[in-house]
Amino acid sequence: MLGIKNRRRRQRTCQDLVCLFDSKCEIVHNQPHCTCRDVFCTIEEEQPMNVCASDGRTYRSKCEIKRQQCMKQYEIVLMYPGVCNGSLFSFAIDLVCFDFFLSIRY
């Protein structure tokens, strides 16, 4: 015998998980997961147009940003209409580094 005990772990439930951005908790394979089946978009949000978001990606509509935000479970903000030009991500990294610099300096 290897001395390994058969331990029963407490099953996690949807009470243990916080789902944001129109997601709902569902149990899948005995584990809670945030699912995004009910993301509501207005007609205006569904209008096709390229928009650049805070994650540096170009989306085809504001609704697509909402769906991605739901799936990723973090906030994604519309930055400006049009295709992302690549400098947004660089700017965000510079800002985070500057904030970190200030926090350790003072």
Side-chain angles (χ1 to χ4, degrees):
M1 184 167 203
L2 297 173
I4 299 173
K5 293 181 181 179
N6 184 11
R7 297 181 191 172
R8 291 189 97 185
R9 291 186 339 176
R10 182 179 156 260
Q11 282 292 332
R12 291 181 52 192
T13 66
C14 282
Q15 291 178 337
D16 301 323
L17 184 65
V18 176
C19 293
L20 306 171
F21 309 110
D22 293 333
S23 63
K24 305 283 187 261
C25 183
E26 292 182 9
I27 302 295
V28 179
H29 302 294
N30 294 323
Q31 292 293 318
H33 293 279
C34 295
T35 59
C36 299
R37 297 170 207 228
D38 299 323
V39 176
F40 174 77
C41 294
T42 65
I43 293 172
E44 190 262 331
E45 291 170 327
E46 291 178 356
Q47 291 299 313
M49 65 182 278
N50 286 333
V51 287
C52 183
S54 58
D55 61 354
R57 293 186 54 203
T58 301
Y59 292 90
R60 293 176 293 185
S61 69
K62 294 175 185 176
C63 188
E64 192 176 317
I65 291 175
K66 285 178 79 169
R67 285 189 200 104
Q68 188 69 20
Q69 179 174 255
C70 181
M71 289 188 298
K72 298 287 186 183
Q73 289 294 291
Y74 60 79
E75 186 172 26
I76 302 172
V77 179
L78 179 129
M79 298 303 286
Y80 56 86
V83 177
C84 293
N85 63 18
S87 64
L88 178 67
F89 184 72
S90 169
F91 173 74
I93 294 298
D94 290 344
L95 192 59
V96 168
C97 291
F98 183 70
D99 282 349
F100 177 73
F101 170 76
L102 288 178
S103 69
I104 62 171
R105 190 164 182 229
Y106 298 103

